[in-house]
Amino acid sequence: MTTRLSLLVLLVAFAAWIPVLADEPSGDGASDASPDAWKREYEPMDDSWKTVKQELIFNTGSEPETLDPARMTGVPEHRIQLALTEGLVTADPETLEARPGVAERWEVSDDGKVYTFHLRKDAKWSNGDPLRAEDFSWSWYRVVTHSDADYAFLIYDTIEGGPAFRKHHIETSKSTGKSASYEDWKKMVKAEAIDPHTFRVTLINPTAYFLDLTMMGALQPVHRKTVEADPDRWTQSETWVGNGPFTLQEWSPRDKIVMVPNKHYWDADFVKLKKITALPLEDQDVAYKKFINGEVHWITAVATAKLDDARKRPEYYVMPYLGSYFYRFNVTREHLNKKKVRKALSLAVNRKSITNDVTKAGHIPATYFCPPIEQAHYTPPKGYAYDPDKARKLFAEAGYPGGKGFPKLTIFYNSNDDHKKVAEAIAQMWRETLGIQVALQNSEWKVYLDEVDNMNYQVARAGWIGDFADPMTFLDMWLTNGGNNNTGWSNKRYDELIYKARAELDMKKRAQLLLEAEKIVVEDEFPILPLYIYVNQGMKVDGLQGWYENVRDRHPFQYLYFEPEE
């Protein structure tokens, strides 16, 4: 597309791209007896692909923080995870609907609370060991008891017995310094290995997006013997054991990650790529040049400075994205613990100027955090638009007239030219409107994530990509002590609304509860500064097949292959 998407066009497209979740998923996946017959439509039309070198090189955009599914939070990590692991359920590469993964089929009880997964008898780990239902139970236990697992709440807040076990684990850790035992987990939590090939999960409440949760990194299985043998290094190439369509051949930090087909993958014959190389190039100009020079087949972003050139090329793509770009405020810092200060900082930002003059990619300026999600009946609140006069008034009321007495503020971001330009623009707006001093600080991705996790920042750039097509994937992250909160903010009423929404079966009532919750964040308390809703744009060669546009930018590697380019 050569012109910027208008707000109206993008919103319409966004709604059209949101996948619809089945009310009663069966897991059959096809009308015939085979649970995998649906895959036929994704097979090549002929054998011409066999004449092409099946080696993919793409840019992840940064060095992954980890390859441990329990600890993953970022997009680069989850993109690589799609190659290395497989959960109970996978996503259709085009529609994103739930498809059989390790589980070849499943049943859901009439009350929507009990999921019974029937695992493939030929499912194996990359070392040839059989994969069993117990592997999922232990892997989920590991997440809930892992100190660095930010997504643990998705398990213990969703599964029956989870809250009680979590409390038991915390008390055990305080008194003994050790985690609650796996034996206690099996007694208390309804995530049960009924037999080697049957895994039954009982939920606290019916959860329409539970199948989507099982696709997430945190709920992927890990190989227990390998993890326990070397808990700190098991994700290195020399020790890696996974169950995905590919396995880890090489991980050279800041250079490349190389993956090759997993010969023990249950559907190994379907996989066509012979090698995948992921490059952690943070410099988008360098990545763009490599793409133009034919050194890279796919880049997942285009630098603003290259957009005009990219839009003229047929390899360029742009599409709606289920993602939000925002800033976090560390409300534990003395000068940021005042609501009026945070609101003033928000009102002083001209979001339209940022999307029109800085990013220039068609992003939607947003005073809300969660994008509209049609099938969940969710329309976000309006928030507050740019209002410099009111911002100055609030800042004065907070005790800082004209910025006097307010300490220097630092914006922290991961190294990236576009993040830098956005930070520079916001810093200038704050200087001009509020009269304060603003500095910028950047670091590489892994350091950035660690600093934010440890609350070692004042204002931090952030992005959030929905893990499933429901407002909860955006809004439950601001729960008190939530693993991805990282603002120090807590609000009792907000917590109550989120937990009520989780238990509410009426979708419209649920949407109202979530709306009230988001209003607390973007119209009252301001622990974050929403900036815009993403579009997804990048470049890929025409010969790359099996890659489909979708709002989560999810492209499972087992479907990708090259055909001869015309």
Side-chain angles (χ1 to χ4, degrees):
M1 187 172 291
T2 58
T3 59
R4 186 181 303 118
L5 290 172
S6 70
L7 176 60
L8 177 60
V9 170
L10 190 53
L11 284 173
V12 171
F14 203 106
W17 274 97
I18 297 293
V20 177
L21 298 177
D23 292 332
E24 296 183 3
S26 66
D28 292 339
S31 58
D32 64 12
S34 170
D36 304 306
W38 62 275
K39 278 191 173 183
R40 292 174 188 155
E41 62 183 286
Y42 297 115
E43 290 278 13
M45 297 292 290
D46 54 44
D47 289 339
S48 62
W49 65 275
K50 295 181 179 180
T51 66
V52 183
K53 188 177 183 180
Q54 297 297 324
E55 295 185 6
L56 171 67
I57 303 174
F58 76 100
N59 182 32
T60 64
S62 62
E63 176 71 16
E65 179 191 24
T66 179
L67 294 183
D68 183 345
R71 297 176 53 225
M72 289 180 179
T73 59
V75 172
E77 293 81 10
H78 280 95
R79 181 170 281 122
I80 293 171
Q81 169 255 312
L82 288 177
L84 296 177
T85 68
E86 182 172 89
L88 293 163
V89 175
T90 62
D92 186 289
E94 185 173 10
T95 67
L96 299 182
E97 64 184 296
R99 297 294 194 184
V102 175
E104 63 181 1
R105 58 187 175 86
W106 55 87
E107 296 100 35
V108 185
S109 63
D110 291 340
D111 64 2
K113 293 173 63 175
V114 181
Y115 286 71
T116 304
F117 297 94
H118 301 277
L119 277 56
R120 300 174 188 276
K121 294 182 179 180
D122 57 350
K124 295 181 179 180
W125 296 97
S126 56
N127 67 350
D129 287 352
L131 196 158
R132 299 292 186 251
E134 188 81 9
D135 293 320
F136 282 95
S137 179
W138 184 83
S139 297
W140 292 10
Y141 154 80
R142 175 176 177 264
V143 172
V144 172
T145 57
H146 200 299
S147 61
D148 293 328
D150 289 345
Y151 279 115
F153 71 95
L154 290 179
I155 298 176
Y156 65 73
D157 273 354
T158 304
I159 301 175
E160 187 174 316
F165 177 82
R166 178 67 173 177
K167 181 180 179 181
H168 169 62
H169 165 65
I170 292 172
E171 292 173 348
T172 302
S173 299
K174 287 181 179 179
S175 61
T176 68
K178 298 180 180 180
S179 299
S181 71
Y182 179 48
E183 292 305 313
D184 287 343
W185 164 272
K186 290 193 290 185
K187 293 175 183 176
M188 299 176 69
V189 183
K190 296 297 184 180
E192 306 163 289
I194 305 303
D195 59 47
H197 301 104
T198 308
F199 185 52
R200 185 172 65 205
V201 182
T202 304
L203 309 182
I204 298 171
N205 299 296
T207 305
Y209 50 85
F210 177 68
L211 290 177
D212 272 2
L213 292 185
T214 68
M215 303 179 202
M216 292 178 58
L219 277 74
Q220 304 296 292
V222 294
H223 189 257
R224 182 175 181 177
K225 288 183 180 179
T226 300
V227 175
E228 292 183 332
D230 196 345
D232 296 325
R233 290 183 50 81
W234 73 272
T235 57
Q236 302 303 306
S237 56
E238 60 269 22
T239 52
W240 175 264
V241 176
N243 76 313
F246 295 84
T247 191
L248 187 63
Q249 183 183 71
E250 177 186 352
W251 184 5
S252 299
R254 297 178 179 81
D255 182 26
K256 61 184 176 181
I257 292 176
V258 180
M259 296 164 281
V260 295
N262 171 12
K263 64 181 181 180
H264 292 294
Y265 180 56
W266 65 268
D267 203 15
D269 291 342
F270 185 82
V271 178
K272 296 166 185 63
L273 290 176
K274 301 302 181 185
K275 184 178 180 181
I276 302 171
T277 302
L279 305 178
L281 299 173
E282 292 184 346
D283 190 324
Q284 292 180 353
D285 284 338
V286 171
Y288 186 77
K289 289 176 183 176
K290 284 184 175 291
F291 181 86
I292 297 303
N293 293 335
E295 301 173 56
V296 175
H297 304 111
W298 173 30
I299 58 176
T300 56
V302 178
T304 300
K306 302 297 183 185
L307 276 174
D308 288 341
D309 180 63
R311 288 180 175 127
K312 298 174 185 177
R313 299 176 180 272
E315 301 96 336
Y316 176 73
Y317 63 84
V318 60
M319 57 190 176
Y321 200 21
L322 192 64
S324 183
Y325 191 104
F326 63 103
Y327 277 9
R328 282 183 171 93
F329 293 126
N330 185 344
V331 305
T332 67
R333 297 297 176 94
E334 184 176 354
H335 53 294
L336 290 172
N337 62 5
K338 297 179 180 180
K339 183 166 62 175
K340 286 185 177 180
V341 167
R342 301 193 299 269
K343 185 174 182 179
L345 290 169
S346 181
L347 291 172
V349 173
N350 186 339
R351 295 162 176 81
K352 289 183 179 179
S353 175
I354 291 172
T355 57
N356 291 345
D357 304 325
V358 180
T359 64
K360 301 179 182 179
H363 302 307
I364 304 172
T367 50
Y368 50 87
F369 178 60
C370 179
I373 300 181
E374 187 176 33
Q375 87 268 18
H377 305 282
Y378 191 75
T379 300
K382 291 182 179 180
Y384 287 99
Y386 175 54
D387 192 337
D389 291 336
K390 189 171 183 179
R392 282 187 284 267
K393 182 175 182 293
L394 282 169
F395 219 58
E397 291 175 0
Y400 308 106
K404 294 180 181 179
F406 195 81
K408 181 186 289 186
L409 197 61
T410 300
I411 298 174
F412 182 48
Y413 62 94
N414 57 297
S415 301
N416 176 285
D417 284 344
D418 286 346
H419 298 331
K420 179 182 179 182
K421 290 174 183 176
V422 171
E424 288 173 339
I426 291 176
Q428 187 60 29
M429 293 173 190
W430 285 346
R431 292 187 193 108
E432 292 178 353
T433 302
L434 302 175
I436 62 176
Q437 292 181 298
V438 186
L440 306 185
Q441 178 188 356
N442 69 292
S443 71
E444 65 177 9
W445 179 245
K446 293 177 72 172
V447 174
Y448 157 82
L449 289 174
D450 187 58
E451 295 288 78
V452 172
D453 281 345
N454 290 308
M455 300 283 290
N456 188 22
Y457 74 92
Q458 293 175 304
V459 181
R461 169 266 156 190
W464 189 256
I465 309 305
D467 295 303
F468 43 90
D470 189 274
M472 195 63 78
T473 188
F474 289 89
L475 299 181
D476 65 6
M477 68 186 293
W478 307 123
L479 286 167
T480 298
N481 298 321
N484 293 301
N485 187 321
N486 297 329
T487 64
W489 180 75
S490 173
N491 183 281
K492 183 178 179 181
R493 176 58 181 164
Y494 185 88
D495 293 351
E496 290 174 351
L497 289 165
I498 294 298
Y499 284 114
K500 282 184 180 179
R502 283 181 175 175
E504 180 56 62
L505 301 182
D506 185 300
M507 292 298 286
K508 291 184 179 180
K509 290 181 180 179
R510 179 175 180 272
Q512 285 301 311
L513 292 169
L514 293 170
L515 177 63
E516 185 180 343
E518 185 170 3
K519 284 183 176 180
I520 293 173
V521 173
V522 302
E523 295 183 351
D524 185 24
E525 291 283 332
F526 301 94
I528 61 171
L529 168 60
L531 292 170
Y532 55 79
I533 302 302
Y534 280 110
V535 292
N536 178 33
Q537 40 88 34
M539 307 276 285
K540 72 175 187 68
V541 296
D542 290 340
L544 182 60
Q545 304 299 310
W547 189 103
Y548 300 92
E549 293 185 352
N550 58 67
V551 293
R552 277 184 270 171
D553 194 24
R554 185 184 179 101
H555 310 287
F557 291 93
Q558 64 264 42
Y559 300 95
L560 302 185
Y561 63 94
F562 290 98
E563 283 188 346
E565 294 192 47
E566 296 181 2

